Amino acid sequence: MTDSEYKKDGKKAKLFKWLKDPTRADVINIAWPVLVELLLGSLFGMIDMMMLGRIGDSSLAAASVAAVGITNQPLFIGISLVQALNVGATAMIARYLGANQNERIETTLKHVILLSLLMLAIPLSILGIVFTDSIMNFMGAQADALHVGRNYFKVVMVGFIFQSFNMSVSAALRGIGETKTPMKINLKANFLNVIGNALLIYGLLGLPKLGVTGAGISTAISNVIASVLLFIYIIKGKSIIKLNIRKPFKFDKDIIYNLVRIGVPASLEQLVLRTGVLLFVKIVAGLGTVVYAAHQISLSILNLSLQPGQAFGIAASSLVGRTLGTNELSQAENYAKETRRIGSMISTFMAIIFFFFGPQLVGLYSNDPEIIQSASVALKIIALVQPFQSSQLILAGGLRGAGDTFWPLIATFFGVLLVRVALAHVFVNIFGYGLAGAWMAVFVDQLVRWLFVYMRFRTGQWKHTKLR
């Protein structure tokens, strides 16, 4: 055997040993399906944006991209509120699984589905449909973006009802570490969404050419398909997460208490986050439709870089919650540290790509030289954000898995609502730094949030959070 073959075998042995570490293996087993689902979901979203950016009329293309960005911000408020409720579901189900209280898991799932639909998804959808123009005007939409985006917003708000159901079921499945099922179902739905977008945006195969409205219709249909598949899966009863629709439902005050105790700070965090982002978007939207289109493309690429942090944050929530349920406090900390380590490695790799290949990435979305130049500068700043963003997302996921949602709220309040918005105003409106100034504010925001979450994690007090 040659020296090169010895070295190659040695590297394989080291990699195998690294992967076989029990803690690391648990993290990877739960995180990889979530990571694949989120990454491919973001890629599908990027493809959707590219399709809109490639509409023949360049002014219509820019208006369509801007319209999606503007309408997505209020939609994300609703999504974030549902996600906040689901934080409680994931933490509680993981804890109940660890404590071998499986009889409480189905009850928790029913509570979360009903609360997310009746208190959030349906009322918010109605408000969005009735007040579409007012909401888009508040968001700073120019006349062209309002014209092309009005119907898109109405359609995606209908799809939001089904999306909220999907999120609740997926959160419950992830709480028990079952991440492959939501991955498979959501990828199928996203794939169909991309095909539907191509058909309806451009009017292929004899279908009407609907532009951005066609993208909304395709998105809504894909959410319906995912809901049907998830519902069939949980009523079959093949998983610990199951739904017996014949079994009488009654509210459980302890489950409500836990959901409120965990979910209210998480909801407030998302409200603060989305309020800050809305104000931030208004500042950027004031730079004009073309610059806002560049910003939206930057956000689309940023969402891709968020996925490792979010995937390993979900893994941290599940594993930390489960081990706290079995009272293995030191192992809970080990899981949190390992998820942060692996997620940060992946995010750093992505940061290098963003920094050096920004123009090429933006060129996939648009041929406009101004958009490419503006978005490429933003991507260099996004690359610098990566280490802090990833660490913050993963450690915050661990805290939420423990049921400690107060400190992520504090971190978001200071980072987004105070630092990001204030600095964006100073850098954009006073110093005139344009889009680069807005993204400089994002960098400082992520640094501040990371400091708050990291210091809270270091105290170890999150290990002693109690649930009823």
Side-chain angles (χ1 to χ4, degrees):
M1 186 178 289
T2 64
D3 288 343
S4 61
E5 289 175 328
Y6 273 119
K7 289 179 180 178
K8 189 175 181 180
D9 287 344
K11 289 178 181 178
K12 286 183 179 179
K14 287 181 180 179
L15 178 61
F16 182 76
K17 183 179 179 182
W18 188 83
L19 291 172
K20 292 302 288 184
D21 175 83
T23 299
R24 191 170 295 123
D26 286 342
V27 169
I28 293 173
N29 186 52
I30 291 179
W32 80 259
V34 184
L35 181 58
V36 169
E37 175 189 345
L38 295 178
L39 281 174
L40 290 181
S42 287
L43 284 172
F44 287 143
M46 292 168 71
I47 292 170
D48 293 348
M49 197 69 70
M50 291 172 194
M51 289 180 184
L52 293 173
R54 296 283 176 174
I55 291 175
D57 185 333
S58 60
S59 60
L60 178 60
S64 297
V65 171
V68 171
I70 288 169
T71 57
N72 276 351
Q73 293 307 319
L75 174 64
F76 286 162
I77 292 178
I79 290 173
S80 298
L81 291 174
V82 174
Q83 284 178 331
L85 187 63
N86 292 339
V87 166
T90 298
M92 291 165 60
I93 287 172
R95 190 77 69 95
Y96 292 147
L97 179 68
N100 200 28
Q101 295 179 310
N102 290 5
E103 72 282 354
R104 308 201 72 182
I105 291 177
E106 182 181 353
T107 306
T108 301
L109 173 63
K110 288 182 176 179
H111 278 77
V112 171
I113 290 174
L114 286 175
L115 291 174
S116 66
L117 287 175
L118 299 180
M119 293 180 60
L120 294 172
I122 294 174
L124 290 175
S125 292
I126 293 172
L127 287 173
I129 293 168
V130 173
F131 298 104
T132 297
D133 283 20
S134 299
I135 293 170
M136 291 186 68
N137 281 323
F138 174 78
M139 291 299 305
Q142 307 287 324
D144 53 355
L146 177 62
H147 176 70
V148 300
R150 182 182 289 115
N151 289 333
Y152 170 83
F153 187 40
K154 292 179 183 293
V155 172
V156 295
M157 289 308 297
V158 174
F160 170 59
I161 296 173
F162 297 93
Q163 187 177 9
S164 68
F165 173 83
N166 303 339
M167 291 161 60
S168 296
V169 176
S170 295
L173 290 167
R174 289 166 182 159
I176 64 168
E178 188 175 337
T179 53
K180 292 180 183 177
T181 298
M183 175 194 72
K184 293 175 182 177
I185 290 175
N186 287 319
L187 288 183
K188 288 176 184 176
N190 278 320
F191 179 72
L192 292 174
N193 182 30
V194 169
I195 295 175
N197 280 341
L199 294 174
L200 295 175
I201 290 173
Y202 302 123
L204 304 178
L205 301 180
L207 293 171
K209 185 178 180 180
L210 300 176
V212 69
T213 302
I217 293 172
S218 178
T219 298
I221 292 173
S222 70
N223 284 325
V224 173
I225 292 171
S227 292
V228 171
L229 294 176
L230 283 168
F231 181 73
I232 291 172
Y233 180 76
I234 59 176
I235 63 172
K236 283 185 176 179
K238 294 182 179 180
S239 167
I240 296 174
I241 300 296
K242 55 182 178 291
L243 186 65
N244 185 351
I245 56 178
R246 296 174 181 171
K247 184 178 179 181
F249 171 78
K250 63 178 181 179
F251 283 104
D252 184 312
K253 64 180 186 301
D254 287 338
I255 290 177
I256 294 291
Y257 171 84
N258 289 333
L259 284 172
V260 169
R261 186 167 177 268
I262 299 172
V264 167
S267 297
L268 290 175
E269 179 194 352
Q270 292 301 323
L271 280 175
V272 167
L273 174 64
R274 291 304 159 189
T275 300
V277 170
L278 281 173
L279 296 173
F280 177 74
V281 165
K282 282 178 67 68
I283 293 171
V284 178
L287 294 171
T289 298
V290 172
V291 174
Y292 188 79
H295 173 68
Q296 187 57 34
I297 288 170
S298 301
L299 277 179
S300 178
I301 298 172
L302 174 67
N303 286 338
L304 182 66
S305 74
L306 283 171
Q307 307 317 325
Q310 290 183 334
F312 284 91
I314 289 170
S317 292
S318 176
L319 292 167
V320 165
R322 192 188 312 173
T323 46
L324 290 180
T326 57
N327 207 32
E328 299 176 78
L329 305 188
S330 61
Q331 182 61 15
E333 183 171 350
N334 290 337
Y335 277 133
K337 288 181 177 178
E338 190 60 39
T339 51
R340 182 185 62 168
R341 188 177 297 116
I342 300 173
S344 296
M345 289 168 56
I346 297 172
S347 293
T348 300
F349 172 73
M350 297 179 75
I352 294 171
I353 295 175
F354 294 161
F355 192 89
F356 291 105
F357 299 101
Q360 289 82 0
L361 288 172
V362 179
L364 296 173
Y365 290 83
S366 174
N367 294 322
D368 190 312
E370 184 180 350
I371 289 178
I372 292 175
Q373 193 277 332
S374 297
S376 298
V377 172
L379 280 184
K380 290 188 182 297
I381 301 172
I382 290 172
L384 300 177
V385 167
Q386 293 307 300
F388 305 105
Q389 174 184 275
S390 178
S391 180
Q392 178 261 129
L393 286 171
I394 295 168
L395 291 180
L399 294 179
R400 295 185 186 105
D404 184 0
T405 51
F406 178 74
W407 280 96
L409 163 62
I410 296 299
T412 300
F413 177 81
F414 279 96
V416 178
L417 196 57
L418 299 184
V419 173
R420 181 192 292 200
V421 174
L423 287 182
H425 172 70
V426 171
F427 291 156
V428 174
N429 296 330
I430 297 178
F431 292 164
Y433 291 162
L435 187 59
W439 282 95
M440 288 163 59
V442 173
F443 172 79
V444 181
D445 154 39
Q446 288 288 354
L447 177 60
V448 169
R449 279 196 273 171
W450 171 77
L451 280 171
F452 273 98
V453 171
Y454 179 71
M455 295 306 295
R456 175 59 178 177
F457 179 78
R458 285 288 301 273
T459 67
Q461 295 178 20
W462 52 273
K463 300 176 191 175
H464 307 288
T465 305
K466 302 296 182 185
L467 297 182
R468 287 186 180 179

